[in-house]
Amino acid sequence: MTTATALTGGAAVVGIGATEFSKSSGRSELQLACEAVLLALADAGLTPADVDGLVSFTADTSGEIHVARNTGMGELTFFSRVGYGGGAGCATVQQAAMAVASGAAEVVVCYRAFNERSGERYGLGQADRAMDTGADRAAYSWMTPFGLNTPAQWVAMFARRYMHEYGATSEDFGRVAVVDRRHAATNPAAWFHGRPITLADHQASRWIAEPLRLLDCCQETDGGQALVIVSADRARDLPHPPALILGAAQGSGADQHMMTSYYREHISGIPEMGLVGRQLYAQSGLRPDDIDAAILYDHFTPLVLPQLEELGFCGVGEAKDFIADGHLELGGRLPANTHGGQLGEAYLHGMNGIAEAVRLVRGSSANQPEDVAHVLVTAGTGVPTSGLVLGAAR
């Protein structure tokens, strides 16, 4: 039996917890992490003393030992971190599920917390960061002299090529933002609660890096999010319906770079997401038609379109029509980002999206579609990435 097969349905997300989402938290990233962890454990009906595993991002500043000490945890038998920024999101749950399936740990908490608005702002990119001698910085040195310094500038190159090849327009990207903000407007936890936008609003927003407008770009958020993972057997005795982990995968494509995979023969796709999707469907035994809702990583709207294509929800070049036909709406074929996404709810490197997928499986989303049994979640795009399929216990 392969590890992937052993994983399928053997573990579940049983607790979710988050701080408020703000632009100025007024407290340390460690405090945000601890608050989110404690809330997630309370949601799961567990205590810090029950935890024996922790997983986070290499980008997180709150070390496992500090989270453990400040929340009252005891001994840890498993701890790990996943790299590549937002691409790590779903992989933290994969690592937790593997730890539970292998017996390395019994109760694993995944967490991510940062002051991304009031502290280090990721949107500023590489230009103002201290020089170092690492391989990543060396790779970026081929881009920065030509004005490719920030995430928006990196994605603009991809977006322009995608538009050229498939006839997509700025309005097609804008429809993603409109859907996200519509869902955020009715989600009390969202930063943009009560503030929907129209396509005209999107088109009137200022350029950031053509063809990206302001409303194509995700927020910068202060906050924390945590998730609790245990075995499916143990999950049956806890307060909430478990969100079974039916598939969990990572993927890095050939000639992969960090949001700048310009050396590939074709730069209008994200093959690493296709790799993740193939694994998820193989592990879960599901097909695209079996997915009832999706949480698609939306740090920049153009990268939502190839996700739909790579994951088999529509053909290559057809995502603009799939979206225009209303399929991402609550009453559509694939309700997406029902929490408002990173454009509408908060930018927590995708961890808040995993929490929304849990709510969808539980039936407790602020924008709950009918009959949700299977939810697909994606992590950061343009980078080595990851994905999940969560399902309801039947």
Side-chain angles (χ1 to χ4, degrees):
M1 179 180 291
T2 67
T3 301
T5 303
L7 274 178
T8 304
V13 185
V14 295
I16 55 177
T19 67
E20 83 289 352
F21 304 131
S22 75
K23 305 301 180 186
S24 181
S25 72
R27 50 210 197 272
S28 70
E29 293 180 339
L30 176 59
Q31 182 170 342
L32 293 172
C34 292
E35 289 178 20
V37 167
L38 291 173
L39 289 167
L41 287 168
D43 184 62
L46 298 169
T47 70
D50 295 312
V51 178
D52 55 0
L54 289 170
V55 187
S56 190
F57 294 50
T58 57
D60 203 285
T61 64
S62 301
E64 298 87 347
I65 56 175
H66 302 298
V67 171
R69 288 182 64 248
N70 284 278
T71 56
M73 296 175 188
E75 296 177 330
L76 299 178
T77 60
F78 178 80
F79 36 93
S80 68
R81 292 193 173 211
V82 187
Y84 304 109
C90 294
T92 65
V93 177
Q94 180 198 40
Q95 297 252 330
M98 289 193 293
V100 168
S102 67
E106 295 184 2
V107 177
V108 183
V109 177
C110 303
Y111 65 93
R112 179 74 175 107
F114 58 174
N115 285 320
E116 207 264 337
R117 176 66 187 186
S118 65
E120 181 181 354
R121 297 177 63 181
Y122 284 45
L124 296 177
Q126 298 293 311
D128 67 334
R129 297 189 182 184
M131 293 294 291
D132 61 47
T133 57
D136 282 345
R137 185 63 187 175
Y140 281 123
S141 72
W142 293 97
M143 314 294 173
T144 51
F146 302 97
L148 292 168
N149 297 314
T150 70
Q153 291 166 340
W154 303 328
V155 173
M157 292 277 284
F158 167 89
R160 182 62 76 189
R161 184 64 189 178
Y162 185 92
M163 295 168 81
H164 172 76
E165 289 197 19
Y166 303 120
T169 66
S170 174
E171 288 89 346
D172 293 317
F173 302 151
R175 290 186 180 94
V176 174
V178 170
V179 170
D180 274 2
R181 289 288 295 271
R182 181 178 296 125
H183 295 163
T186 49
N187 171 13
W191 176 256
F192 284 113
H193 177 234
R195 289 182 280 175
I197 60 170
T198 65
L199 191 56
D201 293 329
H202 172 272
Q203 291 293 288
S205 66
R206 62 184 175 87
W207 294 115
I208 298 298
E210 292 190 47
L212 299 184
R213 298 179 179 275
L214 176 64
L215 293 179
D216 287 309
C217 305
C218 70
Q219 308 177 61
E220 295 171 309
T221 300
D222 287 10
Q225 178 77 61
L227 315 162
V228 181
I229 292 85
V230 301
S231 71
D233 288 340
R234 185 167 186 171
R236 297 189 185 99
D237 298 325
L238 298 178
H240 296 291
L244 296 177
I245 301 166
L246 303 180
Q250 287 183 277
S252 179
D255 212 348
Q256 180 82 65
H257 286 243
M258 281 289 288
M259 299 181 73
T260 57
S261 299
Y262 305 141
Y263 298 100
R264 291 170 169 167
E265 183 177 357
H266 302 288
I267 68 168
S268 56
I270 42 176
E272 53 276 6
M273 189 59 74
L275 174 59
V276 166
R278 293 193 297 276
Q279 294 177 80
L280 293 178
Y281 294 136
Q283 290 173 24
S284 66
L286 302 173
R287 301 175 301 172
D289 287 348
D290 298 314
I291 303 300
D292 303 307
I295 304 296
L296 302 173
Y297 200 92
D298 57 341
H299 52 344
F300 297 99
T301 60
L303 285 168
V304 171
L305 279 71
Q307 288 185 71
L308 291 165
E309 297 164 4
E310 297 280 3
L311 295 168
F313 296 113
C314 58
V316 175
E318 296 177 358
K320 64 183 188 303
D321 302 313
F322 186 87
I323 296 168
D325 288 343
H327 290 301
L328 303 188
E329 305 281 356
L330 291 181
R333 152 71 191 91
L334 187 73
N337 296 355
T338 45
H339 58 320
Q342 297 178 110
L343 279 81
E345 185 186 59
Y347 178 69
L348 260 296
H349 258 162
M351 291 293 275
N352 53 315
I354 302 173
E356 174 65 5
V358 174
R359 287 189 289 268
L360 287 168
V361 170
R362 290 178 178 179
S364 62
S365 169
N367 295 299
Q368 183 69 37
E370 296 181 2
D371 301 322
V372 175
H374 305 118
V375 183
L376 190 149
V377 189
T378 62
T381 45
V383 300
T385 191
S386 54
L388 296 169
V389 174
L390 301 182
R394 299 300 189 198

